[in-house]
Amino acid sequence: MIVNKAEEVLENHSLCNHCLGRLFAKLGKGTNEERGEAIRFVLNMERSEKELEPVEKPERCELCNHVFERLDQFVELCFKASEGIEFSTFWVGSRFPDEVLEKERRIWEEFGIETAEPIKVEFNRELGKALGKRLRKETERDNPDVVFIVEPFSGKVELQINPLYVYGRYRKLVRRIPQTPLPGFEDSVASLICRPFSKVTGGKCVFKGAGREDVDVRTLGNGRPFILEIKNPKVRSVDLNVLTEEINGSGKVEVLNLRFVTPKEAEKVLTKNHRKEYLALVLVEDGVTPEEAEEVVRKLRGLEILQRTPRRVRKARADKVRVKRVHDAEAGWIDERHFELRLITDGGLYIKELISGDKGRTKPSVSELLGKPAWCERLDVLNILDD
């Protein structure tokens, strides 16, 4: 049956052994070239018995134009394209002309072929094996360091360098420093962390924080999770301990627990909702007693807060009401006008507005519970809680 089908195809199309064998790729073992050579050999034995002319390999394959005979050429083009780039794993992709893919599909339909594989699959596999030997590196489908995109008919090779992803947590030790660059500020958390990474890897470093704090707010304790996406890195084997020391030497920002992660792990970090622990210094100009401070935190514990987007961030955030919860609260009275407020809340609850009330946009608020205006004079993020 296979030989009869092959003879029927070859009577109408000039195919090399690769393209002939690929029609039956799902049958048996071995390469498509070996499969095609064996099928042609048996077919010509039968034709010889019938005193028919053999069906020889064509000088020009009408489907692939003998691209498989030029694999060594593509290997060298890929090798040259990757010079100066450090990587451990790679994958191969290809772009064939639409008319080639369409002709292949028409042959399958014309002769009822259900055992074939696409030309792109064979080309990528065979080039990948040859390139692996030349580079002495391993192929990796899911998360390779680099991907070679080859256009077999034009001879073009494109090198796609996949990003590096680094997880860490940062502590912002000083006030008056933004998380990301802003006009009027010399440094930012992002620039202090990214600068050494860009220098060492030769790539572009993009900082992504799991939430953010205001310019005048410190982040202490276990630090805020963040991800660095380093695009087009020329160097991938970097010493994270050395970079940690360099960043921490700034005296403004410290990083903890730096490690490489996969794209999926990075996405999980950035989409996870974290509870947060805060310490706020509350100013009550009309005066506050220890008893009033304790009464406020008693009412806050477990309280559900309806918070409309604060006025100060309306240009950057959708104007809507968010429902958040205060999970725990403690008070420490300082003097007649101040007390400290330690809070554990849902992520995304604006603490300054929780205290002031933001002219009724946050309800209830500390001001409402006290029955007199209260303001956040100083705020620190103490911990970002993963659980």
Side-chain angles (χ1 to χ4, degrees):
M1 293 292 292
I2 293 173
V3 172
N4 291 342
K5 182 72 70 173
E7 184 174 32
E8 188 179 354
V9 172
L10 293 178
E11 285 176 351
N12 293 272
H13 299 281
S14 297
L15 302 181
C16 67
N17 285 340
H18 278 276
C19 293
L20 174 61
R22 196 168 57 255
L23 296 175
F24 309 95
K26 296 178 182 179
L27 304 175
K29 296 182 179 180
T31 67
N32 286 330
E33 183 181 27
E34 292 168 343
R35 191 175 287 108
E37 184 176 10
I39 291 171
R40 195 185 299 269
F41 179 77
V42 174
L43 168 60
N44 285 333
M45 287 180 63
E46 292 187 359
R47 289 176 67 87
S48 176
E49 185 180 24
K50 299 173 184 177
E51 298 184 350
L52 298 174
E53 290 294 322
V55 182
E56 304 291 355
K57 287 195 302 183
E59 292 186 7
R60 178 183 178 278
C61 176
E62 68 177 72
L63 187 58
C64 78
N65 198 23
H66 298 292
V67 295
F68 293 96
E69 296 180 5
R70 306 203 307 273
L71 285 180
D72 288 344
Q73 173 188 341
F74 296 127
V75 166
E76 291 308 311
L77 288 173
C78 290
F79 185 85
K80 185 175 181 180
S82 65
E83 287 181 337
I85 306 298
E86 179 191 339
F87 61 100
S88 299
T89 59
F90 73 95
W91 192 246
V92 171
S94 58
R95 298 191 189 105
F96 278 80
D98 290 341
E99 55 266 28
V100 172
L101 303 180
E102 177 61 22
K103 177 180 283 190
E104 179 178 62
R105 188 188 62 79
R106 286 201 306 267
I107 292 174
W108 297 348
E109 293 180 352
E110 182 181 355
F111 299 98
I113 304 293
E114 297 180 353
T115 55
E117 72 174 357
I119 188 172
K120 292 179 64 171
V121 174
E122 181 184 10
F123 182 83
N124 297 349
R125 180 177 61 246
E126 296 304 317
L127 179 56
K129 289 191 294 186
L131 186 56
K133 292 178 181 179
R134 178 71 170 90
L135 295 170
R136 296 182 181 180
K137 299 183 188 297
E138 298 294 325
T139 56
E140 166 64 44
R141 176 189 292 271
D142 295 330
N143 188 31
D145 294 339
V146 300
V147 178
F148 296 92
I149 307 296
V150 180
E151 296 182 6
F153 278 61
S154 70
K156 294 181 180 178
V157 173
E158 174 187 328
L159 180 64
Q160 174 184 305
I161 305 174
N162 285 337
L164 276 173
Y165 293 91
V166 178
Y167 163 85
R169 302 177 83 107
Y170 74 81
R171 290 198 287 242
K172 193 176 85 172
L173 306 178
V174 297
R175 305 187 194 279
R176 302 301 302 165
I177 179 173
Q179 186 189 73
T180 53
L182 287 177
F185 293 90
E186 180 180 355
D187 288 317
S188 67
V189 173
S191 64
L192 290 169
I193 295 175
C194 276
R195 201 173 292 135
F197 275 92
S198 295
K199 181 180 178 181
V200 170
T201 64
K204 179 182 179 181
C205 181
V206 179
F207 177 94
K208 302 175 182 180
R212 60 192 305 130
E213 66 285 320
D214 289 341
V215 169
D216 60 343
V217 175
R218 296 184 301 177
T219 295
L220 308 174
N222 65 353
R224 184 182 296 279
F226 68 90
I227 293 292
L228 299 182
E229 180 184 2
I230 303 166
K231 299 180 179 182
N232 295 314
K234 307 299 185 296
V235 175
R236 305 184 82 90
S237 58
V238 299
D239 191 326
L240 296 179
N241 291 325
V242 171
L243 290 173
T244 295
E245 290 182 9
E246 182 175 349
I247 294 165
N248 292 356
S250 69
K252 299 177 181 179
V253 170
E254 289 182 350
V255 292
L256 314 168
N257 307 326
L258 293 183
R259 60 183 172 88
F260 295 106
V261 294
T262 65
K264 287 185 178 180
E265 290 172 321
E267 182 181 6
K268 186 176 179 180
V269 169
L270 296 175
T271 55
K272 187 174 183 179
N273 190 18
H274 301 269
R275 292 184 181 182
K276 298 179 176 67
E277 182 180 4
Y278 296 94
L279 181 63
L281 179 62
V282 179
L283 167 66
V284 185
E285 292 183 343
D286 293 341
V288 62
T289 66
E291 293 75 21
E292 287 175 316
E294 287 296 334
E295 179 67 12
V296 165
V297 298
R298 186 186 66 79
K299 294 177 178 177
L300 278 174
R301 292 187 187 114
L303 193 61
E304 191 174 80
I305 307 297
L306 301 180
Q307 188 168 66
R308 188 175 176 184
T309 303
R311 291 172 298 152
R312 63 187 174 94
V313 297
R314 279 183 296 181
K315 292 183 179 180
R317 301 284 187 274
D319 189 9
K320 64 180 183 179
V321 175
R322 297 170 176 84
V323 180
K324 302 292 181 179
R325 186 174 296 278
V326 177
H327 296 280
D328 198 9
E330 295 179 2
W333 188 80
I334 296 177
D335 57 38
E336 291 79 4
R337 299 172 63 216
H338 296 90
F339 70 97
E340 284 188 334
L341 186 59
R342 187 184 291 263
L343 300 165
I344 295 179
T345 75
D346 285 339
L349 178 60
Y350 293 91
I351 303 303
K352 293 177 180 177
E353 285 70 23
L354 172 65
I355 294 171
S356 70
D358 196 23
K359 295 187 176 181
R361 295 173 74 90
T362 296
K363 297 182 73 67
S365 65
V366 171
S367 293
E368 183 179 337
L369 297 176
L370 272 174
K372 54 183 117 177
W375 307 94
C376 181
E377 198 167 78
R378 188 178 66 233
L379 182 63
D380 290 325
V381 181
L382 295 185
N383 286 294
I384 311 292
L385 306 175
D386 291 327
D387 298 321

